[in-house]
Amino acid sequence: MQDNATEVTAAGIARLAGVGRAAVSNWRRRHADFPRPVGGTETSPAFALAEVEEWLRRHRKLAEVPLKERVWQQLAGHPDGPVTALVHAGCALLLIHERPPVWLDISSGTDERLAALLPTALDEVLTPRVPGTARPGRTDRSRVNGQPPVNTPPAATPANPATPATPATPATSATPVLAIPTAPRLLPSVPLLRGVAELAADRGARPTFEFLLGRHLDANPRQYTLTPPDLAGLMAALAGTPATVLDPSCGTGALLRAVADRPDRRLHAQDSSPELAALTALRLALHTRAPVHAAAGDTLRADAYPGLRADAVLCHPPFNERNWGHDDLAYDPRWEYGFPARTESELAWVQHALARLRDGGTAVLLMPPAVASRRSGRRIRADLLRRGALRAVVALPAGAAPPYSVPLHLWVLRRPDRTHAQPELLLVDAGRFTAEGRGGPDWPGVRETVLDAWGAFDRDGGVEERPGVARSVPVIELLDDDVDLTPARRLPPPADTDGAGRLADVRARLDETLRLTAELAPPPAEPVPSAASGRLPLTTVGELARAGALVMRTGGHGGRARVPVLTDHDVLAGTAPSGTLPESEEEPVLTEPGDVVLPVLGGGAVARVVDEATAGAVLGRNLVLLRPDPAALDAWFLAGFLRGTANHRQASSYASTATRLDVRRLQLPRLAPDEQRRYGARFRALDAFERALREAGRLGEQLVRGMYDGLTDGTIAPD
């Protein structure tokens, strides 16, 4: 059954048909029978998905709408909103994952029968997996499961931090994060749930939910601050293998999902967003057999777990908040190490994490670097050091997490269970693992460096000093007027062998590259006689695509996790694939040798031929791939003519702040294969010369920067 209420935008139609949005606009103008808008606005109309599918099939724009796209469009266009649809889908997927025979039984009849039987089946699965879930008939006071009610625990005085460890007590008296929807609320979602079940039969319940959640997060990038999987894995590894874990600002649950499994594990999550808390509860329930306690509400003002004494706390708190409760929480017992200033919300989260740990428990928090040095927080930092609560500060490379331009810190804390005679602080600087491209840092290098240093420090109470990388500093050295804990300011510079030896290697590589550049320099240009310079007959990329001489593909948002992505920045800079993809089961566009890739934004006349080293990467956003038929087109001939400045100018459209290239309008001459190969050989030689020049520039910059650093820090002599 197709849900006639499901709407789809022009962008959704383009994704269904595998074309650009401009093609959809052309269809609307050229075809009188194109479906009329049923909603949206004049500038962003919405169309009925069922009518769009029927029109696309009738006009042979596609043979069949892919199942994953149909399910996504049903979810995105759900009459109660995408979050409602995603929560309903998550509930059904948990039932499919846990009790597939039950799902097969209740889904075998009509939609009305499925909606009537599903609440009872969900009750039997959700209640033990997510304790505190509201059962059918117990409450229907809100828009259940789509916009879940905020879990506001009753006012309570936080427990004395000295109280012995006690089991966690979920705030069951508050409105639950998840409530099993009633039959009337489920009925509009039944077509979606049947599609989700069909998708899960092919992909599995867990990957299906990850695909839908990933698409939802990707469609709303400004609403969510995500913790990248590699960073989440590092934070979880620093915490060890705890049994009871709390994330008081859980977001989408990435940190709890990364915690190592063990039979007696218990997970506790809280977030100020009821939507995220509900989605996290379902995501974790699908990921693990551990019970998942979830709560929604402002953690600092309304802590859902005042009696919890966890083995570990993992937290990616909101940064730079002024309205965190400074005026309301002045006498809160959690402030053992001092009352945080209004500008020190992060230090409030640090103390909340310590208050929810058992003695000897570990907390790992992601922090902005300013927290390590702001004068307003120096007294709290000093007390954390004196009492041995702050154990390590790790400087991450830029690009580790949003905001990607800032090199964030990790703070590793431990609730003191004894008095340290001579406490020390571990300082680690992993900034050298910053990547040149947009793909984020070298995570294997970061992980090995950080975990090796932390493991030795945690085991032995100190580490062997590694200049520029790691050092254990006596606390007494840090207790000055500033109490500045920034690793780079406390670590000795790299050793001479790391500086001068490395620069000698850079100089040798530069000499070789300059020699190669001179050899590759093109010979003097020979002018074409005027009699032979007649205008060649031209064709366009669009005409070649229609004739089957090449295939045209556009980059998308999806793909398998951990697959390298060729970004528009990589194409412009001539570097290796550096991008990453969110976890998704969307089918990516993979590059092959001989493909020609062009960026469509920015106005640069650039085209790149994919070689063996780049082949297999995923085509990123804002890129167009042309795959020529070797019998009809030479790849280097194609790429060379597409780089012409005049060619780009006539095929580009200009907005107030950006230039967009219409690849189909790019022109190239009609030439015989032999003549194409002549041009292609020359274009290929120019490309090799260009790459050598670019490499020489990079090595030259690296040598100059290294010389300045070595001369100023004393590791290189001036003569």
Side-chain angles (χ1 to χ4, degrees), residues 10-27 552-555 624 660 664:
I13 297 173
R15 187 184 293 273
L16 286 171
V19 298
R21 292 188 61 177
V24 179
S25 299
N26 288 334
W27 293 344
M552 182 173 174
R553 301 291 300 275
T554 57
V624 170
R660 187 172 186 88
R664 292 179 177 274

Side-chain angles (χ1 to χ4, degrees), residues 11 61 146 155 241 244 331 348 414 471 493 503 520 555 665:
K61 302 299 183 183
T241 55
T244 304
Y331 302 101
R414 183 159 287 162
R471 177 191 176 202
L503 290 180
L520 293 174
R665 292 172 55 189

Side-chain angles (χ1 to χ4, degrees), residues 302-321:
D303 181 16
Y305 309 105
L308 178 63
R309 295 295 177 266
D311 298 313
V313 175
L314 300 175
C315 185
H316 177 174
F319 297 161
N320 303 317
E321 280 200 335

Side-chain angles (χ1 to χ4, degrees), residues 250-616:
C250 64
T252 58
L255 292 175
L256 292 176
R257 189 168 174 264
V259 175
D261 200 5
R262 54 182 288 178
D264 57 344
R265 186 172 62 171
R266 296 186 301 278
L267 304 178
H268 298 77
Q270 183 170 354
D271 197 89
S272 59
S273 166
E275 295 179 353
L276 283 180
L279 294 176
T280 293
L282 288 168
R283 188 184 194 190
L284 294 174
L286 278 163
H287 179 72
T288 177
R289 298 295 305 173
V292 179
H293 302 275
D298 187 325
T299 294
L300 296 180
R301 288 189 175 92
D303 181 16
Y305 309 105
L308 178 63
R309 295 295 177 266
D311 298 313
V313 175
L314 300 175
C315 185
H316 177 174
F319 297 161
N320 303 317
E321 280 200 335
R322 295 299 182 96
N323 186 28
W324 59 266
H326 178 272
D327 297 335
D328 306 326
L329 302 171
Y331 302 101
D332 197 298
R334 286 174 290 183
W335 316 141
E336 289 185 73
Y337 303 89
F339 181 40
R342 189 183 302 276
T343 57
E344 295 287 353
S345 63
E346 295 87 2
L347 291 180
W349 285 97
V350 164
Q351 296 191 72
H352 173 80
L354 286 167
R356 293 296 157 262
L357 286 173
R358 63 165 176 80
D359 290 347
T362 302
V364 185
L365 285 84
L366 184 66
M367 308 289 276
V371 183
S373 58
R374 280 195 298 239
R375 290 189 61 81
S376 55
R378 65 188 185 278
R379 292 183 179 178
I380 294 178
R381 292 196 299 271
D383 207 27
L384 289 168
L385 291 173
R386 288 192 194 98
R387 298 171 60 179
L390 181 57
R391 307 299 294 141
V393 175
V394 177
L396 297 169
Y404 289 107
S405 60
V406 178
L408 301 175
H409 287 181
L410 288 179
W411 282 26
V412 184
L413 304 109
R414 183 159 287 162
R415 182 165 182 81
D417 56 353
R418 59 186 175 87
T419 302
H420 294 264
Q422 294 180 327
E424 295 190 347
L425 177 71
L426 173 66
L427 297 177
V428 181
D429 189 349
R432 66 190 181 121
F433 295 104
T434 301
E436 293 185 3
R438 294 184 178 182
D442 173 13
W443 278 112
V446 173
R447 185 180 177 93
E448 180 181 3
T449 299
V450 173
L451 294 183
D452 283 353
W454 170 249
F457 180 81
D458 193 34
R459 180 181 62 252
D460 305 327
V463 296
E464 182 179 350
E465 184 175 290
R466 296 180 59 190
V469 177
R471 177 191 176 202
S472 54
V473 185
V475 164
I476 192 66
E477 292 186 20
L478 303 169
L479 296 177
D480 52 20
D481 290 340
D482 296 322
V483 196
D484 190 339
L485 308 181
T486 305
R489 295 170 186 162
R490 300 287 183 174
L491 293 172
D496 292 356
T497 54
D498 291 338
R502 179 173 52 83
L503 290 180
D505 178 64
V506 172
R507 175 56 190 264
R509 291 164 55 199
L510 177 59
D511 289 343
E512 177 63 22
T513 303
L514 290 174
R515 183 191 62 77
L516 178 63
T517 303
E519 293 178 357
L520 293 174
E526 295 289 340
V528 177
S530 57
S533 60
R535 185 174 179 82
L536 297 171
L538 298 177
T539 185
T540 65
V541 169
E543 291 173 350
L544 291 171
R546 286 191 292 272
L550 58 82
V551 175
M552 182 173 174
R553 301 291 300 275
T554 57
H557 301 270
R560 294 178 290 275
R562 303 185 185 278
V563 176
V565 177
L566 185 68
T567 68
D568 54 344
H569 179 271
D570 300 328
V571 174
L572 292 168
T575 54
S578 65
T580 56
L581 289 172
E583 189 169 347
S584 169
E585 289 298 316
E586 184 175 353
E587 196 67 30
V589 177
L590 299 180
T591 59
E592 297 179 1
D595 289 344
V596 177
V597 180
L598 302 90
V600 296
L601 296 180
V606 176
R608 176 172 175 178
V609 178
V610 175
D611 55 16
E612 293 290 344
T614 306

